[in-house]
PDB file of all heavy atoms in Angstrom:
ATOM      1  N   TRP N  21      -8.724   6.795  -6.782  1.00 91.00           N
ATOM      2  CA  TRP N  21      -8.289   7.160  -5.400  1.00 91.00           C
ATOM      3  C   TRP N  21      -8.276   5.853  -4.553  1.00 91.00           C
ATOM      4  O   TRP N  21      -7.354   5.674  -3.803  1.00 91.00           O
ATOM      5  CB  TRP N  21      -9.176   8.182  -4.792  1.00 91.00           C
ATOM      6  CG  TRP N  21      -8.958   9.572  -5.306  1.00 91.00           C
ATOM      7  CD1 TRP N  21      -9.837  10.347  -6.029  1.00 91.00           C
ATOM      8  CD2 TRP N  21      -7.806  10.368  -5.006  1.00 91.00           C
ATOM      9  NE1 TRP N  21      -9.288  11.619  -6.222  1.00 91.00           N
ATOM     10  CE2 TRP N  21      -8.098  11.659  -5.580  1.00 91.00           C
ATOM     11  CE3 TRP N  21      -6.676  10.250  -4.228  1.00 91.00           C
ATOM     12  CZ2 TRP N  21      -7.172  12.752  -5.531  1.00 91.00           C
ATOM     13  CZ3 TRP N  21      -5.739  11.309  -4.190  1.00 91.00           C
ATOM     14  CH2 TRP N  21      -5.978  12.521  -4.775  1.00 91.00           C
ATOM     15  N   ARG N  22      -9.287   5.037  -4.644  1.00 90.00           N
ATOM     16  CA  ARG N  22      -9.395   3.884  -3.771  1.00 90.00           C
ATOM     17  C   ARG N  22      -8.263   2.865  -4.075  1.00 90.00           C
ATOM     18  O   ARG N  22      -7.644   2.294  -3.203  1.00 90.00           O
ATOM     19  CB  ARG N  22     -10.783   3.209  -3.965  1.00 90.00           C
ATOM     20  CG  ARG N  22     -10.995   2.069  -3.053  1.00 90.00           C
ATOM     21  CD  ARG N  22     -12.258   1.282  -3.359  1.00 90.00           C
ATOM     22  NE  ARG N  22     -13.431   2.098  -3.295  1.00 90.00           N
ATOM     23  CZ  ARG N  22     -14.137   2.339  -2.141  1.00 90.00           C
ATOM     24  NH1 ARG N  22     -13.643   1.825  -0.955  1.00 90.00           N
ATOM     25  NH2 ARG N  22     -15.200   3.009  -2.116  1.00 90.00           N
ATOM     26  N   THR N  23      -7.992   2.696  -5.376  1.00 88.00           N
ATOM     27  CA  THR N  23      -6.930   1.767  -5.755  1.00 88.00           C
ATOM     28  C   THR N  23      -5.612   2.225  -5.268  1.00 88.00           C
ATOM     29  O   THR N  23      -4.809   1.470  -4.766  1.00 88.00           O
ATOM     30  CB  THR N  23      -6.870   1.633  -7.255  1.00 88.00           C
ATOM     31  OG1 THR N  23      -8.066   1.092  -7.812  1.00 88.00           O
ATOM     32  CG2 THR N  23      -5.783   0.684  -7.800  1.00 88.00           C
ATOM     33  N   GLN N  24      -5.283   3.548  -5.358  1.00 90.00           N
ATOM     34  CA  GLN N  24      -3.977   4.055  -4.994  1.00 90.00           C
ATOM     35  C   GLN N  24      -3.848   4.125  -3.458  1.00 90.00           C
ATOM     36  O   GLN N  24      -2.769   3.789  -2.927  1.00 90.00           O
ATOM     37  CB  GLN N  24      -3.859   5.530  -5.573  1.00 90.00           C
ATOM     38  CG  GLN N  24      -3.837   5.530  -7.096  1.00 90.00           C
ATOM     39  CD  GLN N  24      -2.455   5.529  -7.618  1.00 90.00           C
ATOM     40  OE1 GLN N  24      -1.490   5.117  -6.917  1.00 90.00           O
ATOM     41  NE2 GLN N  24      -2.262   5.917  -8.879  1.00 90.00           N
ATOM     42  N   LEU N  25      -4.877   4.561  -2.774  1.00 91.00           N
ATOM     43  CA  LEU N  25      -4.825   4.769  -1.345  1.00 91.00           C
ATOM     44  C   LEU N  25      -5.064   3.484  -0.465  1.00 91.00           C
ATOM     45  O   LEU N  25      -4.623   3.427   0.674  1.00 91.00           O
ATOM     46  CB  LEU N  25      -5.781   5.878  -0.858  1.00 91.00           C
ATOM     47  CG  LEU N  25      -5.470   7.281  -1.308  1.00 91.00           C
ATOM     48  CD1 LEU N  25      -6.752   8.125  -1.097  1.00 91.00           C
ATOM     49  CD2 LEU N  25      -4.288   7.770  -0.530  1.00 91.00           C
ATOM     50  N   GLY N  26      -5.701   2.562  -1.000  1.00 89.00           N
ATOM     51  CA  GLY N  26      -5.933   1.303  -0.272  1.00 89.00           C
ATOM     52  C   GLY N  26      -6.702   1.585   0.952  1.00 89.00           C
ATOM     53  O   GLY N  26      -7.752   2.178   0.934  1.00 89.00           O
ATOM     54  N   ALA N  27      -6.156   0.992   2.077  1.00 88.00           N
ATOM     55  CA  ALA N  27      -6.882   1.109   3.358  1.00 88.00           C
ATOM     56  C   ALA N  27      -7.042   2.565   3.837  1.00 88.00           C
ATOM     57  O   ALA N  27      -7.869   2.871   4.707  1.00 88.00           O
ATOM     58  CB  ALA N  27      -6.162   0.340   4.452  1.00 88.00           C
ATOM     59  N   HIS N  28      -6.285   3.483   3.303  1.00 91.00           N
ATOM     60  CA  HIS N  28      -6.320   4.868   3.701  1.00 91.00           C
ATOM     61  C   HIS N  28      -7.361   5.704   2.966  1.00 91.00           C
ATOM     62  O   HIS N  28      -7.623   6.855   3.309  1.00 91.00           O
ATOM     63  CB  HIS N  28      -4.977   5.615   3.516  1.00 91.00           C
ATOM     64  CG  HIS N  28      -3.836   5.153   4.351  1.00 91.00           C
ATOM     65  ND1 HIS N  28      -3.994   5.088   5.784  1.00 91.00           N
ATOM     66  CD2 HIS N  28      -2.532   4.732   4.152  1.00 91.00           C
ATOM     67  CE1 HIS N  28      -2.881   4.644   6.285  1.00 91.00           C
ATOM     68  NE2 HIS N  28      -1.994   4.380   5.354  1.00 91.00           N
ATOM     69  N   PHE N  29      -8.070   4.991   1.982  1.00 91.00           N
ATOM     70  CA  PHE N  29      -8.962   5.697   1.155  1.00 91.00           C
ATOM     71  C   PHE N  29      -9.994   6.598   1.823  1.00 91.00           C
ATOM     72  O   PHE N  29     -10.102   7.803   1.713  1.00 91.00           O
ATOM     73  CB  PHE N  29      -9.559   4.783   0.119  1.00 91.00           C
ATOM     74  CG  PHE N  29     -10.764   5.454  -0.564  1.00 91.00           C
ATOM     75  CD1 PHE N  29     -10.592   6.493  -1.521  1.00 91.00           C
ATOM     76  CD2 PHE N  29     -12.060   5.078  -0.251  1.00 91.00           C
ATOM     77  CE1 PHE N  29     -11.667   7.049  -2.155  1.00 91.00           C
ATOM     78  CE2 PHE N  29     -13.179   5.695  -0.918  1.00 91.00           C
ATOM     79  CZ  PHE N  29     -12.953   6.699  -1.797  1.00 91.00           C
ATOM     80  N   ALA N  30     -10.791   5.961   2.643  1.00 91.00           N
ATOM     81  CA  ALA N  30     -11.938   6.576   3.261  1.00 91.00           C
ATOM     82  C   ALA N  30     -11.465   7.704   4.165  1.00 91.00           C
ATOM     83  O   ALA N  30     -12.029   8.780   4.137  1.00 91.00           O
ATOM     84  CB  ALA N  30     -12.734   5.559   4.045  1.00 91.00           C
ATOM     85  N   ALA N  31     -10.527   7.432   4.989  1.00 92.00           N
ATOM     86  CA  ALA N  31      -9.990   8.518   5.912  1.00 92.00           C
ATOM     87  C   ALA N  31      -9.459   9.665   5.122  1.00 92.00           C
ATOM     88  O   ALA N  31      -9.608  10.885   5.530  1.00 92.00           O
ATOM     89  CB  ALA N  31      -8.987   7.893   6.826  1.00 92.00           C
ATOM     90  N   PHE N  32      -8.680   9.394   4.076  1.00 93.00           N
ATOM     91  CA  PHE N  32      -8.006  10.489   3.326  1.00 93.00           C
ATOM     92  C   PHE N  32      -9.102  11.287   2.565  1.00 93.00           C
ATOM     93  O   PHE N  32      -9.074  12.520   2.509  1.00 93.00           O
ATOM     94  CB  PHE N  32      -7.008   9.952   2.333  1.00 93.00           C
ATOM     95  CG  PHE N  32      -6.072  10.938   1.843  1.00 93.00           C
ATOM     96  CD1 PHE N  32      -4.971  11.324   2.511  1.00 93.00           C
ATOM     97  CD2 PHE N  32      -6.323  11.624   0.661  1.00 93.00           C
ATOM     98  CE1 PHE N  32      -4.107  12.353   2.093  1.00 93.00           C
ATOM     99  CE2 PHE N  32      -5.503  12.630   0.164  1.00 93.00           C
ATOM    100  CZ  PHE N  32      -4.383  12.946   0.840  1.00 93.00           C
ATOM    101  N   ARG N  33     -10.116  10.561   1.974  1.00 92.00           N
ATOM    102  CA  ARG N  33     -11.158  11.226   1.265  1.00 92.00           C
ATOM    103  C   ARG N  33     -11.947  12.142   2.190  1.00 92.00           C
ATOM    104  O   ARG N  33     -12.204  13.308   1.823  1.00 92.00           O
ATOM    105  CB  ARG N  33     -12.083  10.226   0.583  1.00 92.00           C
ATOM    106  CG  ARG N  33     -13.230  10.873  -0.237  1.00 92.00           C
ATOM    107  CD  ARG N  33     -14.366   9.875  -0.467  1.00 92.00           C
ATOM    108  NE  ARG N  33     -14.901   9.425   0.774  1.00 92.00           N
ATOM    109  CZ  ARG N  33     -15.933   8.511   0.810  1.00 92.00           C
ATOM    110  NH1 ARG N  33     -16.317   7.915  -0.256  1.00 92.00           N
ATOM    111  NH2 ARG N  33     -16.404   8.144   1.999  1.00 92.00           N
ATOM    112  N   ASN N  34     -12.372  11.649   3.324  1.00 92.00           N
ATOM    113  CA  ASN N  34     -13.104  12.425   4.257  1.00 92.00           C
ATOM    114  C   ASN N  34     -12.360  13.627   4.794  1.00 92.00           C
ATOM    115  O   ASN N  34     -12.915  14.668   5.150  1.00 92.00           O
ATOM    116  CB  ASN N  34     -13.602  11.586   5.435  1.00 92.00           C
ATOM    117  CG  ASN N  34     -14.570  10.501   4.984  1.00 92.00           C
ATOM    118  OD1 ASN N  34     -15.148  10.564   3.918  1.00 92.00           O
ATOM    119  ND2 ASN N  34     -14.823   9.468   5.789  1.00 92.00           N
ATOM    120  N   GLY N  35     -11.051  13.469   4.927  1.00 92.00           N
ATOM    121  CA  GLY N  35     -10.238  14.577   5.510  1.00 92.00           C
ATOM    122  C   GLY N  35      -9.754  15.551   4.504  1.00 92.00           C
ATOM    123  O   GLY N  35      -9.776  16.793   4.801  1.00 92.00           O
ATOM    124  N   PHE N  36      -9.390  15.114   3.293  1.00 94.00           N
ATOM    125  CA  PHE N  36      -8.592  16.011   2.412  1.00 94.00           C
ATOM    126  C   PHE N  36      -9.071  16.077   0.961  1.00 94.00           C
ATOM    127  O   PHE N  36      -8.380  16.736   0.150  1.00 94.00           O
ATOM    128  CB  PHE N  36      -7.175  15.695   2.456  1.00 94.00           C
ATOM    129  CG  PHE N  36      -6.598  15.627   3.890  1.00 94.00           C
ATOM    130  CD1 PHE N  36      -6.028  14.445   4.437  1.00 94.00           C
ATOM    131  CD2 PHE N  36      -6.703  16.725   4.716  1.00 94.00           C
ATOM    132  CE1 PHE N  36      -5.597  14.402   5.690  1.00 94.00           C
ATOM    133  CE2 PHE N  36      -6.211  16.655   6.049  1.00 94.00           C
ATOM    134  CZ  PHE N  36      -5.666  15.557   6.550  1.00 94.00           C
ATOM    135  N   LEU N  37     -10.171  15.394   0.652  1.00 93.00           N
ATOM    136  CA  LEU N  37     -10.652  15.538  -0.700  1.00 93.00           C
ATOM    137  C   LEU N  37     -12.080  16.171  -0.737  1.00 93.00           C
ATOM    138  O   LEU N  37     -12.811  16.034   0.160  1.00 93.00           O
ATOM    139  CB  LEU N  37     -10.822  14.058  -1.353  1.00 93.00           C
ATOM    140  CG  LEU N  37      -9.512  13.305  -1.432  1.00 93.00           C
ATOM    141  CD1 LEU N  37      -9.804  11.926  -2.172  1.00 93.00           C
ATOM    142  CD2 LEU N  37      -8.450  13.998  -2.212  1.00 93.00           C
ATOM    143  N   VAL N  38     -12.360  16.810  -1.858  1.00 93.00           N
ATOM    144  CA  VAL N  38     -13.711  17.408  -2.045  1.00 93.00           C
ATOM    145  C   VAL N  38     -14.165  16.989  -3.388  1.00 93.00           C
ATOM    146  O   VAL N  38     -13.442  16.808  -4.319  1.00 93.00           O
ATOM    147  CB  VAL N  38     -13.674  18.902  -1.951  1.00 93.00           C
ATOM    148  CG1 VAL N  38     -13.422  19.409  -0.507  1.00 93.00           C
ATOM    149  CG2 VAL N  38     -12.653  19.596  -2.904  1.00 93.00           C
ATOM    150  N   ARG N  39     -15.458  16.909  -3.551  1.00 91.00           N
ATOM    151  CA  ARG N  39     -16.041  16.576  -4.803  1.00 91.00           C
ATOM    152  C   ARG N  39     -16.152  17.693  -5.774  1.00 91.00           C
ATOM    153  O   ARG N  39     -16.613  18.782  -5.403  1.00 91.00           O
ATOM    154  CB  ARG N  39     -17.466  15.903  -4.580  1.00 91.00           C
ATOM    155  CG  ARG N  39     -18.085  15.410  -5.894  1.00 91.00           C
ATOM    156  CD  ARG N  39     -19.319  14.589  -5.533  1.00 91.00           C
ATOM    157  NE  ARG N  39     -19.976  14.057  -6.693  1.00 91.00           N
ATOM    158  CZ  ARG N  39     -20.949  13.150  -6.701  1.00 91.00           C
ATOM    159  NH1 ARG N  39     -21.389  12.727  -5.545  1.00 91.00           N
ATOM    160  NH2 ARG N  39     -21.545  12.817  -7.829  1.00 91.00           N
ATOM    161  N   ALA N  40     -15.587  17.506  -7.011  1.00 89.00           N
ATOM    162  CA  ALA N  40     -15.607  18.568  -7.920  1.00 89.00           C
ATOM    163  C   ALA N  40     -16.973  18.832  -8.521  1.00 89.00           C
ATOM    164  O   ALA N  40     -17.822  17.942  -8.561  1.00 89.00           O
ATOM    165  CB  ALA N  40     -14.571  18.308  -9.066  1.00 89.00           C
ATOM    166  N   ALA N  41     -17.155  20.062  -9.017  1.00 86.00           N
ATOM    167  CA  ALA N  41     -18.472  20.357  -9.582  1.00 86.00           C
ATOM    168  C   ALA N  41     -18.733  19.600 -10.878  1.00 86.00           C
ATOM    169  O   ALA N  41     -19.903  19.207 -11.213  1.00 86.00           O
ATOM    170  CB  ALA N  41     -18.562  21.875  -9.865  1.00 86.00           C
ATOM    171  N   GLN N  42     -17.673  19.390 -11.716  1.00 86.00           N
ATOM    172  CA  GLN N  42     -17.828  18.698 -12.990  1.00 86.00           C
ATOM    173  C   GLN N  42     -17.585  17.209 -12.785  1.00 86.00           C
ATOM    174  O   GLN N  42     -16.938  16.778 -11.885  1.00 86.00           O
ATOM    175  CB  GLN N  42     -16.899  19.253 -14.010  1.00 86.00           C
ATOM    176  CG  GLN N  42     -15.411  18.890 -13.784  1.00 86.00           C
ATOM    177  CD  GLN N  42     -14.676  19.809 -12.748  1.00 86.00           C
ATOM    178  OE1 GLN N  42     -15.381  20.555 -12.038  1.00 86.00           O
ATOM    179  NE2 GLN N  42     -13.434  19.841 -12.865  1.00 86.00           N
ATOM    180  N   ALA N  43     -18.222  16.377 -13.688  1.00 80.00           N
ATOM    181  CA  ALA N  43     -18.033  14.989 -13.614  1.00 80.00           C
ATOM    182  C   ALA N  43     -16.791  14.555 -14.509  1.00 80.00           C
ATOM    183  O   ALA N  43     -16.326  15.371 -15.392  1.00 80.00           O
ATOM    184  CB  ALA N  43     -19.319  14.272 -14.180  1.00 80.00           C
ATOM    185  N   ALA N  44     -16.360  13.349 -14.315  1.00 77.00           N
ATOM    186  CA  ALA N  44     -15.181  12.894 -15.073  1.00 77.00           C
ATOM    187  C   ALA N  44     -15.595  12.590 -16.544  1.00 77.00           C
ATOM    188  O   ALA N  44     -16.696  12.267 -16.773  1.00 77.00           O
ATOM    189  CB  ALA N  44     -14.640  11.613 -14.428  1.00 77.00           C
ATOM    190  N   THR N  45     -14.567  12.698 -17.388  1.00 75.00           N
ATOM    191  CA  THR N  45     -14.832  12.385 -18.849  1.00 75.00           C
ATOM    192  C   THR N  45     -14.103  11.104 -19.189  1.00 75.00           C
ATOM    193  O   THR N  45     -14.260  10.635 -20.334  1.00 75.00           O
ATOM    194  CB  THR N  45     -14.311  13.608 -19.695  1.00 75.00           C
ATOM    195  OG1 THR N  45     -12.935  13.726 -19.382  1.00 75.00           O
ATOM    196  CG2 THR N  45     -15.090  14.807 -19.455  1.00 75.00           C
TER     197      THR N  45
END
Side-chain angles (χ1 to χ4, degrees):
W21 282 111
R22 187 189 295 279
T23 299
Q24 296 268 18
L25 289 166
H28 291 309
F29 165 70
F32 196 87
R33 180 197 62 185
N34 294 343
F36 306 121
L37 300 181
V38 291
R39 187 166 177 170
Q42 71 276 17
T45 58

